[in-house]
C-alpha cells in the first residue's frame, strides 16, 4: 500500500489542547493493514493507562469507516486509527490525501475524562507512588506502591468531597529541564510523561494535585459526578489496587 514512501511525520494532537473537541477535518497521510494515519486528529491513542478512542471517519460520499481503537504508531508522534473488523475492502479503497471528518465516540471519551480526572483526585488522597493505571469507560484502577491498608469508605468520602468542591482543572507546558529540577512532580512510577519534544504537559487540579500527564481531563472536578470506590485489593505485599466505578443509576 502507500505507507512505504510516506514521510515520517507526527500527527497533530488536537486532543492535547482541547479535550472537549469531538471532531476535526483531517487528511489521510498513510494507511496499511494496521490502520489509518491522519495529519491531525481528535482521537486519543491508548497510553498513560487511558484507553484509546473509538469513533468514525466520515467520508465525503456520506459513508464512514468505524474506528475501533486508537494506538500509538511505531514512530514517535504517530497515531494509528484502527478500523473495526469487516471493513477491509472499504479501507483498502481509501487513498492517501483524502479528506475525512474524524469524530470520536464522545459519550465514551467523556467517561474516560471523568474517570481520568478522578484518578488525579485519588492521587491526592493516597500520598504514595503509582505503579499502574488503567482508565476505561467502565472503570478506572490505580495501583499504589504501599504496604498500609486503605479505607474504602474514607476514600469514597474524600472523592465525593473533592468533586463537590468543584476544583478547576487546567494544564500548562514546562520544559524537561524544569521538570527534572522538580522530580517530586512525577507521581507515577510506571507511566513517565511523554518526552522528546522538549516540553512536558503539567495538569493541575487547583489546590489538589499537580503532575505531568498527557491524558484527557474534564475542566472542573464537579463534572466527574458521583464516583464509587468499587474495590480495594491487595495485589502484592507492596501494591494496593483501588478500582473506581460510576453510579449505574
Ligand atoms: Zn491525567
Amino acid at each position: 500500500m502507500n505507507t512505504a514512501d510516506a514521510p515520517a511525520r507526527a500527527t497533530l494532537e488536537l486532543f492535547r489542547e482541547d479535550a472537549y473537541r469531538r471532531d476535526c477535518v483531517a487528511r489521510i497521510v498513510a494507511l496499511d493493514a494496521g490502520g489509518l494515519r491522519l495529519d491531525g486528529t481528535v482521537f486519543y491513542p491508548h497510553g498513560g493507562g487511558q484507553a484509546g478512542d473509538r469513533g468514525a471517519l466520515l467520508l465525503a460520499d456520506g459513508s464512514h469507516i468505524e474506528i475501533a481503537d486508537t494506538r500509538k504508531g511505531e514512530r514517535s508522534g504517530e497515531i494509528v486509527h484502527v478500523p473495526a473488523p469487516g471493513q477491509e475492502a472499504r479501507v483498502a479503497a481509501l487513498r492517501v490525501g483524502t479528506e475525512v471528518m474524524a469524530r470520536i465516540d464522545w459519550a465514551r471519551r467523556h467517561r474516560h475524562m471523568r474517570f481520568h480526572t478522578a484518578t488525579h483526585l485519588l492521587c491526592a488522597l493516597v500520598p504514595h507512588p503509582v505503579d499502574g493505571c488503567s482508565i476505561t469507560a467502565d472503570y478506572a484502577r490505580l495501583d499504589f506502591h504501599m504496604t498500609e491498608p486503605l479505607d474504602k469508605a474514607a476514600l469514597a468520602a474524600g472523592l465525593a468531597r473533592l468533586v463537590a468542591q468543584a476544583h478547576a482543572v487546567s494544564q500548562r507546558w514546562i520544559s524537561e529541564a524544569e521538570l527534572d529540577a522538580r522530580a517530586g512532580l512525577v507521581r507515577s512510577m510506571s507511566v513517565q510523561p511523554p518526552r522528546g519534544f522538549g516540553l512536558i504537559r503539567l495538569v493541575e487540579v487547583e489546590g489538589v494535585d499537580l503532575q505531568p500527564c498527557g491524558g484527557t481531563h474534564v475542566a472542573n472536578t464537579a463534572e466527574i459526578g458521583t464516583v464509587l470506590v468499587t474495590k480495594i485489593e491487595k495485589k502484592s505485599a507492596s501494591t494496593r489496587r483501588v478500582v473506581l466505578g460510576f453510579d449505574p443509576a
Side-chain angles (χ1 to χ4, degrees), residues 92-151:
L94 295 172
R95 289 290 167 261
V96 166
T98 301
E99 210 169 67
V100 299
M101 168 80 81
R103 181 172 292 160
I104 57 169
D105 177 342
W106 169 250
R108 180 171 176 272
R109 155 71 84 74
H110 192 233
R111 291 171 72 92
H112 294 170
M113 288 161 61
R114 291 165 62 207
F115 268 140
H116 191 133
T117 311
T119 64
H120 283 243
L121 303 185
L122 207 51
C123 284
L125 295 170
V126 183
H128 293 278
V130 173
D131 62 10
C133 171
S134 181
I135 294 154
T136 76
D138 300 317
Y139 67 87
R141 62 174 167 73
L142 217 48
D143 294 338
F144 291 98
H145 185 77
M146 60 187 293
T147 52
E148 303 87 334
L150 283 169
D151 186 307

